Amino acid sequence: MERRVIGFLVVLLQLVSCVGALSGNASNSGSLYAAFLLSNGIGRTPPMGWNSWNHFHCRIDEWTIKKTADALVSTGLAALGYKYVNIDDCWGEANRDSRGNLVARKSTFPSGIKALADYVHSKGMKLGIYSDAGYRTCSKTMPGSLGHEEQDARTFASWGVDYLKYDNCYHDGSSPQNRFARMSYALRKAGRPILYSICEWGEQNPATWAGTLGNSWRTGGDIQDKWESMTSAADQNDAWGRFAGPGRWNDPDMLEVGNGGMSIEEYRSHFSIWAIMKAPLLIGCDIKSASRAMLRILGNKEVIDVNQDPLGIQGRKIRSRADQEVWAVPLSGRRIGIVLWNRSWSRAPFTVSWRELGLAPSAPMLVRDLWLHKFVSTRQRYRLTAIVSPHACKMYVVSAQTQSLLETNGSQWSMPAFLP
Ligand code: GLA
């Protein structure tokens, strides 16, 4: 398709989304979004899976991808929802073939991507791949898709690919709105639902335009396996909270949990904040050799459930004082998710009143600790108090207290039956 036509479509989409936003009717603007360019109906909750980059960088091959798929199944992570097995940069030959097609690198992926997709599908999971809205990918080792969007989208669809991460290196200087729209259109034409992950690093405020084109967009540069990098990615992502929703997510980048650069408490904070922010949960460590402690973090079903809540509202920082932060999110069933995050170097007492959460100040609430897997006995029933260790967090779900909920069996969580 002509660049001019795509440019026009993008402007049209932006107008449409503005009208939706101005009308103040979220569901109406949501349906308008869905009716336009991408309209692939997937990613209604944040995508979950694994990606090769954070741990392996360019050192990938088909054995690693297959063994990772096996490990996702054997650890139980696949059953918890981690279904995308995503190959990042460096999977292709340096040049296209004589017909202009991308080809898998013979030395590392001798069976080809289709065979890998078949393998991953046979395990009940989905395969993701990577390309770039420029002439080379960021590693420079293989071609990008700029100018080949439709051909490459057809190739990915014919291989059975389910997810495309689309990067932003070595382009022609034209606007990302235009370049990322071209692939969006090509994917839609390719005839296979492919989750489209836009990796523009937040340079031109993609939250304001990428929701009409893709299922997720990066809100910042590359994460590193360090506390400072992780906290700053969280803050950058928080700024765009109101643009997220079912089918379109802010992406603060992939998880570093398990890569060794942070403490257990820091990784627990990383995972909790990504979950409450409705970030894609893409594991970035070597699952084959991950420790039990790391698997316990990544496999915390109660935290995952907050991330996958059907309302799809991004949690936000609602208070920040002296590096002590309160994050909160409305959840289905009129529940509220809360993270008390101590970003300081000293132990800190936290108090949150129901009023601060927008609840009736005297309502008796039931509080579930998602890391201790226990209901909290709140002596002071109209507020939540906790002491939080340095760089650690506490994560809770608060819901209205009723007889039906109190009757639940042991510490097993269930939705309050009385709420719509
Ligand atoms: C960029 C992306 C990363 C990764 C690398 C691969 O830096 O932001 O997530 O995909 O490219 O080269």
Side-chain angles (χ1 to χ4, degrees), residues 53-54 58 88-90 130 137-139 165 167 169 199 201 218 221-222 253-254:
W53 185 255
N54 281 358
C58 276
D88 207 279
D89 202 352
C90 308
Y130 164 99
T137 64
C138 292
S139 67
K165 171 176 172 181
D167 217 335
C169 282
C199 181
W201 317 312
R218 283 269 295 277
D222 288 8
D253 208 356
M254 301 165 298

Side-chain angles (χ1 to χ4, degrees), residues 300-303 305-306 331 335-340 354 365-378 384 394-401 405 408-416:
N300 185 331
K301 183 173 180 327
E302 295 195 78
V303 174
D305 284 349
V306 170
L331 299 172
R335 297 167 304 140
I336 292 180
I338 301 171
V339 173
L340 309 180
W354 295 164
M365 304 298 284
L366 201 64
V367 180
R368 174 79 173 175
D369 184 319
L370 305 190
W371 285 107
L372 293 179
H373 304 295
K374 278 185 191 153
F375 290 106
V376 174
S377 71
T378 41
L384 178 60
K394 293 268 186 186
M395 188 164 184
Y396 305 98
V397 167
V398 172
S399 55
Q401 186 170 357
L405 194 56
T408 56
N409 206 354
S411 65
Q412 203 57 42
W413 176 253
S414 71
M415 286 273 290

